[in-house]
Amino acid sequence: MAQLPFDPEQLPIDAYGSEAPLAPERMTAAALRACFASPPQWEPETEPEWFSSRKEITAASVLIPLVEREQGLTMLLTLRTAHLTDHAGQISFPGGRAEAFDLSAVDTALRETEEEIGLARSHIEVIGTLPDYVTGTGYRVTPVVALVQPPFTLAPDPNEVAEVFEVPLAFLMSGANHRRLSVDLPDGSGRRSFYAMPFERFFIWGATAGMLRNLFHFLRAG
């Protein structure tokens, strides 16, 4: 397992996001469908990660699954197992690398989601995609946004997923919960910054927080 040269949970907080929370009426299934059907003008904040120097970029997709709960939309996330090569022990969306037999980036996200957590496609309504997010671990990730209709049964792959959990979308779509952190890398390659969105005992950061930040910008602009 590749070890990070720092512990992101121990870094001081540079700043909190200054943006107001997303209005509740923009966080409904109908509002999200409408926003992706007629996308607004907006600027993505696609900040690549920088934890490795891989030169080859691998296509990948993740599903950004919004579960339609009675109390409001929630975001389904996974805690990756500690022995994985990339992003071990981190919070992530279900997803993975594209295969030659995948029909599209959306197909990759749906296949990987079913393989990783056992969420059947019959429960998933894809409503759109966000701009690709390039990670320093060598992946160009297409975020596929979808609504998920319960009730559903999950069967996480124990080799990849340690835990599956949900976070209220309202928590993630508030700038006050977006922390900006920075670190001087030990190898002398400079000072780097990234977002973190800690929720209860889960530390959401890096690429996952970056893609959530872009969803926030997208929905605010709609």
Side-chain angles (χ1 to χ4, degrees):
M1 182 183 82
Q3 295 290 335
L4 288 174
F6 61 91
D7 182 351
E9 297 190 44
Q10 300 303 315
L11 294 175
I13 300 168
D14 292 341
Y16 288 91
S18 59
E19 303 91 348
L22 192 65
E25 59 267 24
R26 294 195 178 193
M27 290 183 286
T28 66
L32 265 69
R33 288 189 190 98
C35 195
F36 278 96
S38 182
Q41 293 292 321
W42 69 293
E43 288 295 326
E45 197 174 359
T46 49
E47 204 168 30
E49 287 186 65
W50 23 261
F51 304 137
S52 77
S53 57
R54 297 184 188 179
K55 296 180 180 179
E56 294 185 6
I57 300 296
T58 301
S61 294
V62 296
L63 193 73
I64 298 185
L66 293 157
V67 184
E68 297 185 61
R69 299 294 184 189
E70 288 187 7
Q71 66 272 28
L73 293 175
T74 65
M75 185 73 70
L76 188 150
L77 294 163
T78 72
L79 173 63
R80 292 169 64 82
T81 54
H83 67 270
L84 295 173
T85 302
D86 294 322
H87 306 277
Q90 294 184 23
I91 305 302
S92 70
F93 299 110
R97 70 178 64 205
E99 301 291 351
F101 52 78
D102 288 334
L103 300 177
S104 64
V106 170
D107 194 46
T108 298
L110 294 174
R111 174 185 57 76
E112 282 283 341
T113 296
E114 191 157 17
E115 291 176 0
E116 276 191 16
I117 62 173
L119 180 58
R121 297 186 186 208
S122 58
H123 292 278
I124 301 172
E125 176 194 347
V126 174
I127 58 174
T129 62
L130 293 174
D132 287 356
Y133 193 101
V134 180
T135 76
T137 45
Y139 294 94
R140 180 178 295 277
V141 181
T142 300
V144 178
V145 183
L147 296 168
V148 180
Q149 183 63 54
F152 51 80
T153 301
L154 300 179
D157 179 353
N159 292 318
E160 295 187 47
V161 178
E163 191 171 348
V164 180
F165 62 98
E166 295 179 30
V167 180
L169 181 62
F171 175 89
L172 298 170
M173 296 295 103
S174 172
N177 297 322
H178 302 176
R179 300 178 182 181
R180 192 71 172 169
L181 311 178
S182 298
V183 63
D184 292 310
L185 295 183
D187 63 4
S189 60
R191 186 171 180 80
R192 308 295 184 178
S193 298
F194 53 87
Y195 283 100
M197 304 171 187
F199 176 76
E200 296 180 351
R201 60 187 175 87
F202 301 104
F203 195 79
I204 305 165
W205 73 289
T208 300
M211 286 182 270
L212 285 170
R213 182 80 177 161
N214 276 343
L215 177 64
F216 178 55
H217 287 311
F218 177 81
L219 296 179
R220 287 178 68 240

